[in-house]
Amino acid sequence: MQNYLTPNFSFAPMIPERALGSRVWDIEGREYIDLSGGIAVNALGHCHPDLVAALAEQSQKLWHISNIYTTKPAQELAKKLVEHTFADKVFFCNSGAEANEAALKLARKYGRDHFGEHKTEIISCLNSFHGRTLFTVSVGGQPKYSKDYAPLPPGITHVPFNDIAALEAAISENTCAVIIEPIQGESGILPATQEYLQAARRLCDEHGALLILDEVQTGMGHTGKLFAYEHYGITPDILSSAKALGGGFPVGAILTTDKIAPTFGPGTHGSTFGGNPMACAVGSRAFDIINTPETLAHVEKQGQKLQTTLRELGEKTSVFKEVRGMGLLIGCVLADQYKGRASEITAAALKHGLMVLVAGADVVRFAPSLLLNDEDMAEGLKRLEAALTEWIA
Ligand SMILES: Cc1ncc(COP(=O)(O)O)c(C=O)c1O
């Protein structure tokens, strides 16, 4: 097929056409097991009937109306997010990068408004990923994504992840925010330690800085809780969400408190599509299904099963030296002799009818539907074993 798109993506050799649950079919009718979830987006699998119904219903009522008005779907989704988290207020946008952009702007303005012109510095972690806008690639801790776009916004410091002493040394009265992924996703499914997030919370409080948790990838049930911060005994000041928030329909959000929200007074920030009624109607239905004890317990149970079997497979084939993650957000770290070759494994898996992801060059990532059933998991793992066996031969 002729490619009319800019070459910034290296597309897979197959072209997906339709999908249901954890199965995808390409334009030639070949079937795949999807354990990638559209990169942690399709939290309820593909074309979940309740989401299809919510979208169909809303599409007959109102598609777009602009932010001069609020709508029932936007208020309903915001209410659910507020009632089930630390937050009091929500700002809607369309993606993870936009959510982080909003979070960082809010933190800078809050610092300036409440403490003065000096309080603008942002601390972020090495190897972190926060999106692809100029501000978010600059805050992200991977220079390969920002170096071609200099000059970059100033006032950003990077510290090693999970290193309390480094954070303690970097934070000061000039720091307006510390931004952390509870699990570093794109760079290898690396969870923050309990001590690290608790220290970050304490240091932010001591220095009047805001703690921003980027839960774009970890949120909406992927770790077995609605948001990953719930595992850590702390709450952030601002949380960014996107990906699974819309169950496959584009929507992003930041959640924050009544103390901070007034900083975003009328006209200070905006988005044409943010709070779109279609996105919020689908997100609202997805929220109802994800945020139940049954779904979250299922994530926990299936996550443990998947991790255990991947560990066994790693030992049997000697391809993985470690399996890590939480719930159904899992990374398999390649053994030293296969370092740097994760993308070869995702290509081999695809040839065997299985969709998985990389997370950096050394980790194979799994972010399947939170509703993944035993049959699809077993079939996916069977295909993975066949792919790995062929790949190492
Ligand atoms: C932790 C994290 N933050 C932000 C983003 C950016 O989200 P988006 O691609 O929707 O802009 C991602 C995407 O992978 C992510 O994993």
Side-chain angles (χ1 to χ4, degrees), residues 39 95-98 100 129-131 181 186 214 216-217 242-243:
I39 318 191
S95 68
E98 274 182 62
N100 285 323
F129 185 81
H130 298 296
E181 293 164 87
E186 292 305 299
D214 178 346
V216 168
Q217 188 154 162
K243 286 194 184 279

Side-chain angles (χ1 to χ4, degrees), residues 314 317-321 334-341 391-392:
T317 59
S318 305
V319 173
F320 306 140
K321 67 172 179 187
L334 299 189
D336 294 344
Q337 72 260 42
Y338 299 116
K339 240 176 163 338
R341 295 176 66 185
W391 184 70
I392 54 177

Side-chain angles (χ1 to χ4, degrees), residues 39-41 94-100 128-133 136 181-186 214-218 240 242-243 251 365:
I39 318 191
V41 169
N94 310 286
S95 68
E98 274 182 62
N100 285 323
S128 63
F129 185 81
H130 298 296
R132 297 289 199 141
T133 63
T136 55
E181 293 164 87
I183 300 176
Q184 285 198 331
E186 292 305 299
D214 178 346
E215 293 238 26
V216 168
Q217 188 154 162
T218 53
S240 53
K243 286 194 184 279
V251 58
R365 173 174 34 161

Side-chain angles (χ1 to χ4, degrees), residues 38-312:
I39 318 191
V41 169
N42 302 109
L44 300 174
H46 295 275
C47 292
H48 189 289
D50 288 12
L51 302 196
V52 173
L55 185 60
E57 208 178 289
Q58 186 59 39
S59 73
Q60 305 287 332
K61 289 189 190 162
L62 184 70
W63 283 35
H64 175 81
I65 193 67
S66 94
N67 282 312
I68 295 166
Y69 311 94
T70 189
T71 65
K72 250 168 83 176
Q75 292 296 339
E76 271 169 18
L77 177 56
K79 180 169 187 268
K80 288 172 189 177
L81 288 165
V82 162
E83 285 181 351
H84 294 93
T85 67
F86 72 98
D88 306 306
K89 288 284 188 285
V90 176
F91 166 78
F92 285 121
C93 50
N94 310 286
S95 68
E98 274 182 62
N100 285 323
E101 186 86 20
L104 296 162
K105 283 176 70 180
L106 178 58
R108 278 235 170 119
K109 182 161 162 35
Y110 182 84
R112 181 172 274 114
D113 288 357
H114 291 266
F115 298 88
E117 289 296 316
H118 65 285
K119 203 166 182 68
T120 55
E121 286 187 8
I122 291 160
I123 299 178
S124 156
C125 295
L126 289 171
N127 297 322
S128 63
F129 185 81
H130 298 296
R132 297 289 199 141
T133 63
L134 191 62
F135 200 2
T136 55
V137 285
S138 308
V139 169
Q142 302 189 57
K144 67 180 181 205
Y145 295 131
S146 60
K147 66 179 172 37
D148 294 335
Y149 304 103
L152 304 176
I156 300 163
T157 303
H158 293 100
V159 293
F161 183 59
N162 273 338
D163 183 335
I164 298 173
L167 182 57
E168 205 154 12
I171 200 165
S172 75
E173 295 318 301
N174 298 332
T175 308
C176 71
V178 175
I179 180 166
I180 303 174
E181 293 164 87
I183 300 176
Q184 285 198 331
E186 292 305 299
S187 64
I189 310 295
L190 197 58
T193 62
Q194 194 85 10
E195 301 74 43
Y196 187 62
L197 281 198
Q198 293 193 351
R201 176 68 278 172
R202 174 179 54 78
L203 289 166
C204 282
D205 289 341
E206 285 170 11
H207 293 86
L210 301 183
L211 178 62
I212 303 172
L213 290 184
D214 178 346
E215 293 238 26
V216 168
Q217 188 154 162
T218 53
M220 297 311 297
H222 273 104
T223 67
K225 303 231 185 248
L226 183 62
F227 287 106
Y229 76 82
E230 298 169 46
H231 293 282
Y232 288 91
I234 54 137
T235 57
D237 299 296
I238 306 174
L239 178 150
S240 53
S241 177
K243 286 194 184 279
L245 183 61
F249 204 93
V251 58
I254 58 167
L255 280 54
T256 191
T257 61
D258 274 338
K259 188 175 103 182
I260 298 155
T263 300
F264 263 176
T268 54
H269 189 59
S271 159
T272 291
F273 288 121
N276 173 272
M278 307 252 278
C280 290
V282 179
S284 196
R285 197 69 62 91
F287 187 99
D288 291 340
I289 303 170
I290 292 169
N291 191 41
T292 59
E294 297 75 35
T295 302
L296 296 174
H298 184 78
V299 172
E300 187 58 47
K301 185 173 86 184
Q302 298 304 74
Q304 291 205 355
K305 262 193 232 168
L306 188 53
Q307 284 210 30
T308 304
T309 319
L310 287 169
R311 228 166 255 132
E312 285 163 9

